[in-house]
Amino acid sequence: MTDLHDLIPPLLALCHRAGQAICRHYHAPGDVAVESKQDDSPLTRADLDSHVILREGLQALAGGLPVLSEESSPETKARRHDWPRFWLVDPLDGTKEFVAGTGEFTVNVALIDQHRPVLGVLYQPLAQLAYVGIPRTGAWRYGLAGDGRWQGEPIHTRALRQGQPLAVLASRRHRGERLRNALAWLEQAWGPLERHNSGSALKFCHLAEGEGDFYPRYSPCCEWDVAAGQALVEGAGGAVLGLDGEPLQYNRRDTLLSAPFLAIGAPQHTLWQRYQAALSE
């Protein structure tokens, strides 16, 4: 088996190439043409160009493992249950943000082994920043220096401190009763809350680098939206759990929709044990 650390440099280069293709469309006036997929989610030329770059590049890594991307064909998606180890990819996470021009979009790449993410990369094309996580090993933030080399530094989730407001990471596009109930429970149990809104998988990045405490997701999303973020958060010392309190697993169900989840920066704190108990009542 390839050492996971050996995969980081080629993954950074590959995500950067995909990001360059995305940015060419983002910065070209009138070039953000939008189609609708069967589920009414948007699809752009940037999604497709990034998909092709990542699919071809990933197939050349780690012994030619299969690639499951949001933009893969229905036939490829139907074969996925036979894959114990594969790449799970969202070539452009945050297409709505891309179309709206907010800049809050990422490239997500995860290596799945026996239903668990063992390596994840989240790349921000506009900032040329990459976040890499290997569960139980570590997490790093990489920036592209002027000489073309990647410079990395370790990142960690932060501890909860009494008297400090609880920073909740959420999407400005997703609200709903379950989120409101969660925030109300936390405010009563903990005290003051701060809500930080951002698009796409950036919330995982913020959690992993200690800029938030909690990212709950109850609205629908897909497994390729979550897997790389889970690897990152776990590598940084946090957890991404289903509502049953167990780490999320992938490629086990007929659907590619992710189960609702709670991404937690300091999972050992008693607050989260109490919250999990409240969910089961």
Side-chain angles (χ1 to χ4, degrees):
M1 181 183 295
T2 303
D3 187 296
L4 294 176
H5 288 91
D6 293 340
L7 293 172
I8 294 176
L11 284 174
L12 294 177
L14 183 59
C15 288
H16 180 55
R17 281 182 54 213
Q20 287 178 309
I22 291 169
C23 288
R24 281 195 291 272
H25 292 286
Y26 187 74
H27 293 304
D31 195 34
V32 185
V34 183
E35 302 174 18
S36 292
K37 294 189 280 191
Q38 289 184 345
D39 62 357
D40 290 330
S41 60
L43 175 67
T44 70
R45 186 73 244 175
D47 292 85
L48 297 174
D49 286 355
S50 178
H51 163 72
V52 171
I53 291 169
L54 293 168
R55 181 191 63 199
E56 294 177 354
L58 290 170
Q59 286 175 339
L61 289 176
L65 293 174
V67 177
L68 177 62
S69 163
E70 180 174 9
E71 311 310 335
S72 292
S73 67
E75 293 76 17
T76 297
K77 292 175 180 177
R79 293 195 300 268
R80 73 184 191 279
H81 289 299
D82 297 328
W83 301 343
R85 200 164 191 250
F86 65 99
W87 296 103
L88 182 58
V89 176
D90 191 341
L92 176 50
D93 182 44
T95 302
K96 290 180 180 178
E97 305 295 339
F98 175 86
V99 173
T102 70
E104 295 180 342
F105 50 86
T106 59
V107 174
N108 302 350
V109 177
L111 178 60
I112 306 298
D113 192 357
Q114 300 299 327
H115 308 291
R116 296 293 304 276
V118 296
L119 170 65
V121 180
L122 296 159
Y123 181 62
Q124 299 180 37
L126 293 181
Q128 296 187 335
L129 280 177
Y131 292 78
V132 179
I134 300 176
R136 297 175 298 279
T137 300
W140 305 268
R141 178 179 52 226
Y142 288 87
L144 190 61
D147 60 3
R149 292 186 296 179
W150 292 95
Q151 297 180 343
E153 59 179 337
I155 57 174
H156 307 278
T157 58
R158 70 184 188 185
L160 278 182
R161 293 182 175 86
Q162 200 66 43
Q164 174 180 290
L166 187 75
V168 179
L169 304 164
S171 170
R172 64 175 59 88
R173 297 181 182 273
H174 299 114
R175 301 183 185 276
E177 183 178 0
R178 296 175 87 177
L179 179 58
R180 289 194 297 271
N181 290 342
L183 298 181
W185 189 95
L186 289 168
E187 190 167 23
Q188 183 176 28
W190 181 261
L193 305 181
E194 295 177 348
R195 177 164 172 167
H196 300 172
N197 293 326
S198 60
S200 71
L202 291 173
K203 295 175 284 293
F204 290 116
C205 302
H206 299 327
L207 188 67
E209 62 187 350
E211 294 186 358
D213 301 302
F214 182 47
Y215 166 30
R217 179 70 184 240
Y218 303 106
S219 55
C221 63
C222 290
E223 292 189 349
W224 46 68
D225 297 315
V226 184
Q230 180 173 351
L232 173 65
V233 169
E234 289 183 354
V240 178
L241 309 174
L243 301 186
D244 59 359
E246 296 297 321
L248 291 188
Q249 297 194 30
Y250 298 83
N251 201 27
R252 278 197 176 277
R253 305 187 299 165
D254 290 338
T255 179
L256 279 164
L257 289 175
S258 171
F261 64 83
L262 311 172
I264 300 168
Q268 302 307 317
H269 196 281
T270 57
L271 175 68
W272 306 117
Q273 298 167 20
R274 292 161 55 200
Y275 183 59
Q276 290 283 354
L279 286 176
S280 62
E281 292 178 354

